[in-house]
Amino acid sequence: MSTASIPKQPGSYQKDTGTVYNILFILGLCHLLNDSIQAVIPAMFPILEQSMGLSFTQLGLIAFSLSIVSSVLQPVVGFYTDKRPMPYALPIGLTSSMLGILGLAFAPSFLTILFSVIFIGLGSAIFHPEGSRVAYLAAGKRRGLAQSIYQVGGNSGQALAPLITALILVPLGQFGAIWFTIVAALAVAFLVYIANWYSRRLTYIERTRKPQPKAKMKNPALSKSIRNALLVIVFLIFARTWYSSAISNFFTFYAIEKYHLTIAGAQVYIFIFLLMGAVGTFLGGPLADKFGKRTVIILSLLATAPLTLLLPFVGATLSLILLAIIGVILMSSFSVTVVYAQELIPGKIGTMSGLTVGFAFGMGAIGSIALGSLIDLVGLTPTMIAVSFLPLLGLLAFLLPTDKKLHEWQQEN
């Protein structure tokens, strides 16, 4: 096991000499289990619509409740744990999700479902910022790779939604969700192990803490530059998330309408997009470690733009190929934007993770509603053409400071 990270100032950590791979891989697996539980909820929509007669508005409220609880609470949890790290919040969060999925399996009404989903969202909000902090502590010098291992677990879990629908929920119905209490219990057990390691690491950090230098006077120009860079990151997350939301939520209907596919056939397109997105998430971190975070962020959007613009005008086979390539390239910046934000504001690991990942959840929720309304207003094809321009917002990434400049800012802070 590698030597522990030693803080230069409260809440910040020096680069470690080694990467703790066993912790990172277990954490990535826990992320997969956590996000596969979340994937159960949208996967259940066709089941709930039939068994309970829920309207699309009610289904939208369920999706909105899950995303908004996760997104709003993530930066709050991150801000609190930056000041008071809570290793055992990780298994406690997944216990909340386990109770939520248990309630979902037996829920007799819409309100009970909503209440259960809030428990799952709460568990997710606790898990993500603390999980990102553990990945940071275990990263050593390979922060991009560490975040990729952590985040690819989550993206893989989300990609399981079509399989969950086909293999579990269609044959077993709503009660099939009960099997995911086993998934949650497994994640809790793994996270107790992670929490023990995390607690020991924090004890070591506290024991080896260096004397704190006197606080420097804040540089107003630097503070403004950091704020502007963070705003650019937020806009880039908006572009990536809204495009991803358009594909994952509505491309099924588009494929059915344009290519005359069955529901099962159209689900293949979403599965390929999400699966290749998970591949891209993993590749992005090592590429950022080698070529720079800013470079990967720029290319992930701008290299995607020609493909997204072409997608609405091609046939069924080529669209499947394009979606696979788009998924890999677009999602290559997912973990990289988290690391970039963490290095932009050192010492706020949980807050920046909660802000970037939580914002993505929130934008996904708002995007689902906004894009659905746009489809109702102008139709599927015009909407898909309109969202294909979103990756062009990647031009804003040229406004981000270079990795070298980021390092200089860290020295000044």
Side-chain angles (χ1 to χ4, degrees):
M1 187 173 289
S2 61
T3 306
S5 303
I6 302 172
K8 292 188 291 185
Q9 58 186 38
S12 70
Y13 308 93
Q14 285 180 337
K15 288 184 179 180
D16 204 350
T17 55
T19 303
V20 192
Y21 285 103
N22 65 320
I23 292 296
L24 289 173
F25 285 121
I26 294 171
L27 186 65
L29 176 60
C30 290
H31 200 179
L32 184 150
L33 297 175
N34 177 82
D35 282 28
S36 68
I37 292 169
Q38 285 186 262
V40 171
I41 295 167
M44 285 185 70
F45 281 0
I47 310 297
L48 296 175
E49 191 269 335
Q50 290 180 4
S51 64
M52 289 189 174
L54 299 185
S55 67
F56 283 105
T57 300
Q58 288 174 313
L59 295 176
L61 282 170
I62 292 170
F64 181 78
S65 298
L66 175 68
S67 296
I68 213 68
V69 168
S70 297
S71 63
V72 169
L73 289 183
Q74 274 194 53
V76 175
V77 171
F79 180 79
Y80 181 82
T81 55
D82 278 335
K83 296 180 180 296
R84 296 172 178 266
M86 299 174 63
Y88 291 93
L90 286 164
I92 290 170
L94 258 293
T95 301
S96 173
S97 295
M98 183 168 64
L99 294 174
I101 204 72
L102 184 65
L104 198 62
F106 292 99
S109 66
F110 169 69
L111 286 178
T112 315
I113 290 172
L114 212 56
F115 191 64
S116 300
V117 163
I118 288 171
F119 265 83
I120 294 171
L122 178 62
S124 182
I126 294 171
F127 172 80
H128 281 97
E130 280 298 85
S132 189
R133 189 195 313 280
V134 172
Y136 189 94
L137 286 171
K141 295 180 179 180
R142 308 198 68 183
R143 291 182 184 171
L145 174 63
Q147 276 295 327
S148 285
I149 293 172
Y150 169 59
Q151 296 294 352
V152 76
N155 287 18
S156 300
Q158 293 166 20
L160 291 175
L163 297 182
I164 291 169
T165 304
L167 301 178
I168 299 175
L169 298 179
V170 168
L172 298 178
Q174 181 181 343
F175 184 72
I178 195 74
W179 288 101
F180 288 87
T181 59
I182 299 173
V183 172
L186 187 62
V188 170
F190 281 132
L191 286 172
V192 169
Y193 175 81
I194 292 285
N196 287 333
W197 178 87
Y198 182 8
S199 182
R200 291 194 302 271
R201 181 56 56 98
L202 289 176
T203 300
Y204 181 88
I205 289 169
E206 186 61 34
R207 193 170 65 244
T208 57
R209 188 183 297 277
K210 292 182 178 180
Q212 304 302 321
K214 290 184 178 180
K216 297 179 182 178
M217 292 290 291
K218 287 192 174 182
N219 182 339
L222 178 58
S223 297
K224 183 179 179 181
S225 297
I226 291 172
R227 183 195 65 204
N228 291 341
L230 193 58
L231 284 173
V232 171
I233 287 290
V234 165
F235 271 108
L236 297 176
I237 292 172
F238 157 78
R240 186 185 66 216
T241 303
W242 271 48
Y243 186 80
S244 298
S245 180
I247 298 299
S248 58
N249 289 318
F250 301 110
F251 197 84
T252 299
F253 302 101
Y254 180 76
I256 291 170
E257 180 182 292
K258 184 171 182 179
Y259 308 133
H260 309 293
L261 299 175
T262 63
I263 293 175
Q267 283 289 318
V268 172
Y269 287 74
I270 310 306
F271 176 68
I272 291 297
F273 174 74
L274 295 174
L275 178 65
M276 298 310 291
V279 173
T281 298
F282 177 76
L283 294 176
L287 289 172
D289 288 337
K290 185 175 179 64
F291 299 107
K293 292 177 285 295
R294 181 175 178 266
T295 301
V296 171
I297 292 170
I298 290 171
L299 290 177
S300 75
L301 284 161
L302 291 187
T304 305
L307 305 178
T308 62
L309 291 168
L310 183 62
L311 182 64
F313 304 101
V314 300
T317 303
L318 187 52
S319 66
L320 190 62
I321 296 169
L322 285 177
L323 279 174
I325 300 171
I326 290 169
V328 171
I329 301 174
L330 183 67
M331 298 307 292
S332 64
S333 66
F334 190 93
S335 59
V336 181
T337 50
V338 177
V339 176
Y340 191 97
Q342 289 173 342
E343 296 189 0
L344 190 62
I345 306 183
K348 299 293 182 183
I349 308 304
T351 305
M352 289 301 100
S353 171
L355 179 64
T356 51
V357 180
F359 183 74
F361 274 113
M363 281 294 99
I366 296 169
S368 298
I369 295 171
L371 292 170
S373 299
L374 187 61
I375 290 169
D376 287 337
L377 186 65
V378 301
L380 267 168
T381 300
T383 300
M384 286 298 166
I385 293 172
V387 298
S388 68
F389 286 89
L390 283 171
L392 289 174
L393 287 175
L395 289 167
L396 291 172
F398 285 106
L399 299 176
L400 291 173
T402 63
D403 290 49
K404 182 180 178 182
K405 176 62 71 174
L406 204 60
H407 181 69
E408 290 173 2
W409 286 358
Q410 287 179 326
Q411 299 301 112
E412 290 184 47
N413 278 329

